[in-house]
């Protein structure tokens, strides 16, 4: 009696060659609808599933494999004499191999399918057979993807069977596939439900990384559902493999760059904090201003630009040790300049669109929140007697956007559309102000300051004013707001309240 394989796939790529290989190895191919037609057209002998079940496909194809003669053949443990005896009594032949890939539900919903169309792309029989074959991996080889065709045929030709090790690995791949499939369906049904009682997300590995935060840590990058992620539509043009820290910094840089608007802009990030950011008349102008913010900290940083890189700009960037450069386009002459720095990573990438939700992982769990976005400036209000000038107002908004992407406690000094001093990640706000002032040096005089959260005491304002800072923007909301505003009035420093805090941990 011939060995039996059940083949029913949505993705027809390579299936005719795979089935032909099985036939040459003595398998009878049992198949359904579209797959059966594809195999017949390719000259592969096929037994329709209806001949095995003795029942036609019904309900427009919704029911065709849900039958004891199919699932009994798949689920029978061939090491159990009782199972084999029962198969013989019922006239059921065992199935040795099950090749299934599922209806393209994910593709349908990502393509904007209507509800009725999406529902028809929810596979029922496919996941049932995958799970049945995967459960019975000691007796059955389950093939959940075309990527396994060559390996399975190779072992059948060499060994006469699929080895136990490969069967177990295939079973794992099958259960991962059905779990991801069900999670995508559940997510689609949940719709706009932000914080469901149970959250089911699938994460797929995009890349293995050189190492984690430190060389002794192993690492990989996984992308979540929805198709859009940090490396979507990103092309690496040159350089070594990305590391964990590279990606973390690239995320910080691209997120800040997206928040600076449509003017030519440049961001330089080090350890997930910007050490320089600027807008300018051109991307070259913006880069120079961002670099001037803190040339020492820029060494070994990540640079993100929102304009094309020319040869001239490439020469300038090459003068500073840069780990990663992200830009939407590179002139050929710029590529030639960077080719002299083989390890430097060049990423061609457009604008990053932040997701609706952001997550932070903690021990054994995840914190989930709506993504922080800079509020509409129409709600900002001046709380001091003196109003900021139009030039100061523009710089205050720029500094406020940058402060949102600086680890808290954060104070950012800016002038003429560029940062001049950044105090990041401090436990007290006055320390952040003092660091920003020290970084700025003489450039603090006439600059503006943004604080990501309120000043709890007047000392931070006094520190900034003492260095010559000309205007301040902050959320407000402290019990001592009156004291802080009084200090600003006394020092003749205009102060704007935004009403929104932007902590970043």
């Amino acid at each position: 009696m011939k060995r039996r394989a059940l083949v029913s796939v949505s993705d027809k790529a390579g299936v005719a060659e795979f089935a032909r290989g099985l036939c040459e190895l003595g398998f009878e191919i049992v198949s359904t609808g579209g797959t059966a037609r594809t195999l017949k057209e390719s000259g592969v002998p096929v037994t329709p599933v209806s001949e095995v079940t003795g029942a036609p496909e019904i309900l427009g194809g919704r029911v065709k494999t849900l039958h004891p003669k199919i699932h009994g053949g798949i689920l029978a443990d061939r090491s159990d004499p009782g199972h084999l005896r029962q198969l013989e009594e019922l006239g059921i032949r065992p199935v040795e191999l099950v090749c299934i890939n599922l209806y393209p539900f994910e593709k349908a919903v990502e393509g904007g399918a209507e509800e009725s169309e999406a529902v028809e792309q929810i596979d029922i029989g496919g996941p049932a057979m995958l799970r049945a074959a995967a459960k019975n991996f000691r007796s059955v080889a389950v093939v959940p993807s075309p990527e396994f065709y060559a390996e399975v045929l190779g072992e059948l030709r060499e060994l006469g069977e699929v080895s136990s090790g490969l069967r177990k690995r295939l079973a794992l791949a099958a259960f991962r596939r059905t779990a991801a499939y069900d999670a995508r369906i559940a997510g689609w049904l949940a719709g706009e439900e932000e914080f469901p009682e149970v959250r089911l997300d699938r994460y797929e590995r995009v890349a293995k990384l050189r190492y984690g935060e430190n060389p002794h840590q192993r690492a990989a990058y996984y992308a979540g559902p929805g198709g859009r992620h940090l490396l979507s539509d990103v092309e690496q043009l040159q350089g070594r493999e990305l590391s964990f820290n590279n990606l973390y910094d690239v995320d910080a840089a691209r997120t800040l760059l997206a928040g600076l608007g449509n003017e030519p802009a440049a961001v330089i990030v080090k350890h997930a904090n910007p050490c320089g950011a600027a807008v300018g008349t051109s991307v070259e102008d913006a880069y120079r201003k961002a670099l001037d913010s803190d040339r020492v900290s820029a060494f070994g940083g990540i640079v993100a630009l929102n304009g094309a890189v020319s040869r001239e700009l490439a020469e300038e960037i090459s003068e500073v040790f840069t780990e990663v450069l992200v830009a939407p386009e590179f002139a050929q002459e710029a590529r030639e300049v960077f080719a002299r720095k083989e390890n430097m990573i060049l990423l061609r990438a457009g604008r990053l669109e932040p997701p609706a939700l952001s997550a932070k992982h903690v021990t054994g769990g995840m914190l989930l929140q709506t993504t922080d976005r800079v509020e509409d400036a129409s709600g900002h209000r001046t709380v001091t007697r003196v109003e900021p000038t139009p030039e100061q107002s523009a710089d205050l908004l720029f500094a406020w956007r940058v402060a949102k992407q600086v680890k808290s406690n954060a104070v950012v000094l800016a002038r003429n559309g560029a940062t001049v001093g950044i105090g990041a990640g401090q436990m007290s706000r006055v320390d952040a102000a003092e660091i920003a002032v020290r970084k700025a040096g003489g450039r603090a005089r006439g600059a503006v300051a943004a604080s990501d959260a309120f000043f709890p005491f007047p000392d931070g304002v006094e520190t900034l004013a003492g260095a010559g800072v000309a205007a301040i923007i902050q959320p407000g909301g402290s019990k001592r707001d009156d004291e802080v505003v009084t200090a600003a009035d006394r020092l003749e420093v205009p102060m704007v309240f935004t009403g929104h805090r932007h902590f970043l941990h």
Side-chain angles (χ1 to χ4, degrees):
M1 184 180 295
K2 279 190 171 185
R3 305 156 84 179
R4 176 171 277 181
L6 193 153
V7 180
S8 179
V9 296
S10 175
D11 180 0
K12 306 297 192 292
V15 71
E17 293 78 5
F18 180 62
R20 185 176 292 109
L22 293 174
C23 285
E24 291 168 354
L25 291 164
F27 280 85
E28 174 197 11
I29 306 298
V30 175
S31 193
T32 59
T35 305
R37 285 191 297 273
T38 296
L39 297 181
K40 286 179 181 178
E41 290 168 2
S42 300
V44 179
V46 178
T47 300
V49 73
S50 58
E51 288 188 15
V52 175
T53 63
E57 294 184 10
I58 62 172
L59 306 179
R62 283 190 173 193
V63 179
K64 44 185 177 275
T65 59
L66 297 171
H67 194 282
K69 289 199 173 182
I70 297 297
H71 284 270
I74 295 172
L75 281 164
D77 180 353
R78 288 186 292 167
S79 68
D80 186 328
H83 281 201
L84 295 179
R85 185 170 56 254
Q86 197 166 18
L87 288 185
E88 188 174 356
E89 291 169 355
L90 296 172
I92 298 174
R93 284 175 54 191
V95 176
E96 185 175 330
L97 183 146
V98 173
C99 175
I100 303 286
N101 57 64
L102 307 178
Y103 293 172
F105 173 82
E106 298 100 330
K107 185 177 179 180
V109 296
E110 286 163 13
E114 296 292 331
E115 181 178 288
S116 59
E117 181 184 350
V119 166
E120 289 307 313
Q121 294 301 323
I122 296 176
D123 204 333
I124 301 301
M129 289 187 289
L130 279 181
R131 288 173 56 83
K135 171 180 178 174
N136 199 26
F137 68 87
R138 289 189 179 89
S139 298
V140 179
V142 59
V143 185
S145 166
E147 69 181 280
F148 298 110
Y149 289 172
E151 189 174 8
V152 169
L153 283 178
E155 286 208 353
L156 284 169
R157 287 169 180 150
E158 183 179 348
L159 305 174
E161 63 178 1
V162 180
S163 67
S164 59
L166 179 54
R167 289 200 307 272
K168 191 170 184 178
R169 184 154 54 86
L170 291 168
L172 173 60
F175 278 120
R176 281 177 171 163
R177 176 65 183 122
T178 57
Y181 194 74
D182 286 343
R184 188 68 180 93
I185 295 168
W188 173 73
L189 287 170
E192 299 301 317
E193 187 181 6
E194 287 183 337
F195 305 112
E197 184 177 346
V198 176
R199 186 173 177 87
L200 302 171
D201 284 337
R202 81 186 195 281
Y203 285 84
E204 297 179 3
R205 192 176 68 200
V206 174
K208 290 184 178 180
L209 305 177
R210 292 204 317 270
Y211 52 79
E213 286 182 285
N214 299 288
H216 64 275
Q217 295 173 271
R218 295 184 301 279
Y221 171 55
Y222 288 79
R228 300 296 304 172
H229 58 87
L230 179 60
L231 294 182
S232 294
D233 302 322
V234 173
E235 180 184 5
Q236 183 168 347
L237 302 178
Q238 73 164 55
R240 57 189 176 182
E241 293 179 358
L242 289 158
S243 72
F244 183 102
N245 292 338
N246 289 155
L247 280 181
Y248 201 73
D249 287 345
V250 165
D251 184 53
R254 294 188 69 198
T255 300
L256 174 52
L257 189 68
L260 294 182
N262 297 319
E263 293 181 81
V267 171
I268 305 173
V269 164
K270 191 76 168 289
H271 299 305
N273 271 309
C275 54
V279 293
T281 57
S282 65
V283 70
E284 289 84 0
D285 178 47
Y287 172 73
R288 291 165 194 147
K289 290 162 69 174
L291 180 61
D292 282 340
S293 174
D294 189 346
R295 286 179 170 265
V296 173
S297 297
F299 181 86
I302 276 69
V303 175
L305 311 170
N306 66 358
V309 180
S310 63
R311 180 185 182 89
E312 177 188 16
L313 182 53
E315 294 283 7
E316 291 186 39
I317 293 173
S318 292
E319 293 175 2
V320 180
F321 171 44
T322 301
E323 281 267 5
V324 183
L325 173 61
V326 187
E329 195 53 69
F330 296 82
Q332 181 57 39
E333 296 83 356
R335 294 280 304 276
E336 292 168 2
V337 171
F338 292 128
R340 300 195 294 263
K341 295 182 174 293
E342 294 181 359
N343 287 335
M344 182 179 176
I345 298 169
L346 298 188
L347 299 179
R348 193 197 327 259
R351 186 184 182 92
L352 182 70
E353 294 297 333
L357 299 174
S358 64
K360 293 183 185 293
H361 288 271
V362 295
T363 303
M366 177 177 69
L367 301 171
L368 192 66
Q369 61 182 345
T370 56
T371 296
D372 189 21
R373 301 178 189 275
V374 172
E375 67 286 346
D376 186 341
S378 63
H380 296 182
R381 61 190 178 92
T382 302
V383 293
T384 48
R385 291 191 298 268
V386 181
E387 294 270 352
T389 66
E391 292 79 11
Q392 289 171 341
S393 292
D395 278 339
L396 286 170
L397 288 175
F398 169 78
W400 185 237
R401 292 190 180 103
V402 175
K404 171 185 164 294
Q405 288 304 124
V406 178
K407 302 293 186 182
S408 193
N409 287 322
V411 172
V412 174
L413 305 189
R415 188 170 189 180
N416 298 327
T419 57
V420 295
I422 299 174
Q426 300 306 303
M427 284 66 75
S428 77
R429 195 151 299 277
V430 69
D431 284 347
E434 288 171 352
I435 291 172
V437 164
R438 178 168 59 81
K439 289 279 190 180
R443 296 173 298 171
R445 188 159 298 281
V448 304
S451 173
D452 66 338
F454 61 66
F455 289 94
F457 304 99
D459 53 0
V461 173
E462 291 164 351
T463 295
L464 294 170
V469 168
I472 297 172
I473 189 169
Q474 59 131 321
S478 167
K479 292 180 179 179
R480 296 183 175 84
D481 271 351
D482 289 345
E483 295 177 37
V484 172
V485 172
T486 298
D489 274 330
R490 171 171 50 82
L491 298 164
E492 298 184 340
V493 175
M495 180 174 286
V496 173
F497 277 10
T498 67
H500 289 80
R501 187 183 74 188
H502 291 295
F503 273 164
L504 179 64
H505 287 86

